[in-house]
Amino acid sequence: MKKIIKTCPINLSPAKIAFLLNAIKEDGTKMQEKKITAGFDGFIDTIIKIIKKKQPQKTSLFTTIKEFGNYILEKEGTSFSLELEEQHKKLGGNMPIMANALGQMGIPVNCLGALGYPQPDPIFKNFSLNCKLFSFADPGISTAYEFNDGKILLAQMGELNNTDWKKIKEKIGLDTVITLYKESNLICLLNWSEIDASTDIWKGILKDVLPKYSPGKEQIAFFDLSDCSKRTHQSITEALDLIQRFAKYTKVILSLNKNEAHIIYQSLYNKKSKKELFSIGNKILERLAIDTLVLHSSKEAMAFSNSEKVKVDSFFTPKPKISTGAGDNFNAGFCAGQLLELDLESSLILANAVSGWYIRKGISPQLPDIVDFLKNISVSN
């Protein structure tokens, strides 16, 4: 007997779930006819839990970031040690995790990234078979310290810090990149914040790629900036300007988590906001000439366009099996919804379902898994 998921959004009716299930049933196989090209990062992730106390037959972990932070503050002026419990190693980075999630749903994805050079690192053999790898550098190394309410990511960038548009053209070939982009229904430009040359890469695509085939609004360009905390106001503003330049060629979707939304708001308005997330989203869209803005947190998600503004609760669980990659799986689900030409609300529900499965199971779902998840949610609702 399948276990029923009891945690469900309070504003999600059975009719909305039924509509999405029918769309997947009727059109889900059409996603196999779509093509995606995504770039440009790549990491090997080590997932870690931090041990708080050890007793015979019992080990307790730090469960919240605040609890861990307070513990460190209490040790001020002293030296101390902590024991780490490694959960597993996995493919990492915004592009690989999102691309793998899309591939799991049956969509062919061209992956341009730091996946190992001249041959992909063995860790990336775990990619979905629907993903085709184009690598130009060795991956970075990321250690994710996970808690029930979030995670702390510490990254060693390696060759990614020495990667620019010129190197990508040399290693992959400009003609190849142009062909991949031209044949794609969706292009994903991810993890701007961690790649030093992201802005240079975006400028290169705007100069050398998009003008070669003038895609139009039939093609979607999806952006996820990742955590911009260490970036300057000037560099963030330049990135936002470039995203709006992409909107002259394609339909543009920008996705931000709660932290990133506050940073972008501050960059646009030169002040912090104490407003709730939906209001922040409205204000961001007012300043950006893009087609769609998506905001998401562990408990809610929302999307904004000139014709739609919607908000839905997430499929929240207080004890996730994994949180690293939850946002990337959310983004994959939303993009899949857009490729199915769903409205914003249905795309958000699909995004939450993909992410909801992932954080409970530790792997990205295939379409039958998403269907089962939504059916169980519907029964419990």
Side-chain angles (χ1 to χ4, degrees):
M1 179 180 293
K2 292 180 179 179
K3 184 178 179 181
I4 294 176
I5 307 295
K6 293 185 177 180
T7 302
C8 57
I10 59 174
N11 65 350
L12 191 57
S13 71
K16 294 176 182 177
I17 296 178
F19 176 83
L20 178 55
L21 286 170
N22 184 67
I24 294 173
K25 178 182 178 181
E26 295 293 327
D27 300 323
T29 57
K30 291 182 180 179
M31 287 196 292
Q32 299 172 12
E33 302 169 4
K34 306 293 184 179
K35 290 185 179 180
I36 298 172
T37 296
F40 288 91
D41 66 345
F43 289 86
I44 298 173
D45 280 353
T46 302
I47 310 300
I48 297 290
K49 300 284 188 179
I50 305 176
I51 294 174
K52 183 178 181 182
K53 290 183 180 180
K54 292 185 76 172
Q55 300 174 3
Q57 310 300 320
K58 184 179 181 180
T59 298
S60 63
L61 304 171
F62 287 99
T63 58
T64 69
I65 293 176
K66 183 176 181 179
E67 178 188 27
F68 179 56
N70 286 338
Y71 179 86
I72 293 175
L73 291 174
E74 290 170 0
K75 301 293 184 180
E76 184 180 9
T78 69
S79 299
F80 65 100
S81 65
L82 291 166
E83 184 178 347
L84 307 179
E85 185 177 280
E86 181 176 320
Q87 305 295 296
H88 60 278
K89 279 186 168 67
K90 57 184 283 293
L91 61 84
N94 294 136
M95 183 280 288
I97 297 174
M98 183 177 174
N100 183 64
L102 288 162
Q104 286 289 91
M105 286 183 276
I107 310 172
V109 187
N110 300 307
C111 305
L112 282 61
L115 308 172
Y117 194 84
Q119 298 296 325
D121 188 277
I123 198 78
F124 296 106
K125 290 182 179 180
N126 296 319
F127 255 117
S128 164
L129 295 178
N130 291 312
C131 294
K132 187 174 182 180
L133 310 189
F134 297 82
S135 183
F136 50 77
D138 286 328
I141 304 296
S142 177
T143 304
Y145 300 91
E146 293 206 341
F147 308 87
N148 290 346
D149 63 341
K151 59 186 177 289
I152 302 171
L153 286 170
L154 300 180
Q156 297 170 264
M157 302 304 295
E159 285 188 49
L160 276 169
N161 274 344
N162 300 314
T163 295
D164 56 15
W165 179 238
K166 180 181 178 181
K167 182 173 183 178
I168 292 172
K169 289 191 294 183
E170 290 174 349
K171 294 296 177 68
I172 296 178
L174 178 59
D175 289 342
T176 298
V177 176
I178 292 172
T179 298
L180 295 178
Y181 271 58
K182 183 178 180 179
E183 294 177 349
S184 294
N185 304 95
L186 169 72
I187 58 174
C188 300
L189 296 100
L190 311 171
N191 204 351
W192 168 82
S193 68
E194 288 193 304
I195 303 173
D196 286 352
S198 285
T199 299
D200 175 69
I201 294 170
W202 290 10
K203 288 179 178 179
I205 294 169
L206 286 166
K207 176 179 179 291
D208 297 334
V209 180
L210 296 186
K212 301 299 183 182
Y213 67 97
S214 300
K217 294 295 183 176
E218 292 77 20
Q219 186 178 69
I220 301 171
F222 180 89
F223 294 84
D224 183 355
L225 298 176
S226 193
D227 184 2
C228 313
S229 301
K230 66 181 179 182
R231 291 284 199 153
T232 65
H233 169 79
Q234 182 179 356
S235 63
I236 293 172
T237 300
E238 184 177 14
L240 294 175
D241 288 341
L242 289 174
I243 289 173
Q244 293 174 96
R245 285 177 57 188
F246 273 86
K248 297 178 181 179
Y249 289 97
T250 68
K251 175 182 178 180
V252 164
I253 300 173
L254 172 62
S255 179
L256 306 168
N257 67 22
K258 184 177 180 179
N259 172 54
E260 295 153 9
H262 279 276
I263 294 171
I264 297 306
Y265 177 93
Q266 187 171 358
S267 292
L268 291 172
Y269 289 93
N270 294 313
K271 63 180 180 180
K272 293 183 178 181
S273 175
K274 296 181 179 180
K275 297 179 180 179
E276 47 90 25
L277 197 56
F278 194 81
S279 296
I280 290 174
N282 273 316
K283 298 297 289 185
I284 291 175
L285 189 65
E286 286 179 7
R287 287 290 179 92
L288 295 181
I290 61 175
D291 298 274
T292 305
L293 173 68
V294 180
L295 305 184
H296 59 95
S297 70
S298 61
K299 294 186 178 181
E300 61 182 357
M302 54 207 70
F304 309 81
S305 71
N306 289 330
S307 59
E308 286 185 89
K309 296 179 182 180
V310 296
K311 179 170 71 171
V312 300
D313 295 324
S314 72
F315 301 108
F316 176 76
T317 178
K319 295 182 178 181
K321 183 173 183 178
I322 189 172
S323 61
T324 303
D328 302 312
N329 276 265
F330 172 92
N331 287 336
F334 187 85
C335 285
Q338 291 294 284
L339 290 175
L340 287 174
E341 299 182 0
L342 298 175
D343 60 24
L344 293 183
E345 184 175 36
S346 294
S347 295
L348 287 175
I349 296 169
L350 180 55
N352 282 332
V354 174
S355 180
W357 171 278
Y358 174 81
I359 63 176
R360 287 165 172 81
K361 304 293 185 178
I363 58 174
S364 297
Q366 298 181 358
L367 276 182
D369 300 321
I370 298 169
V371 169
D372 287 344
F373 183 87
L374 289 168
K375 285 181 176 178
N376 287 336
I377 286 290
S378 185
V379 170
S380 64
N381 206 20

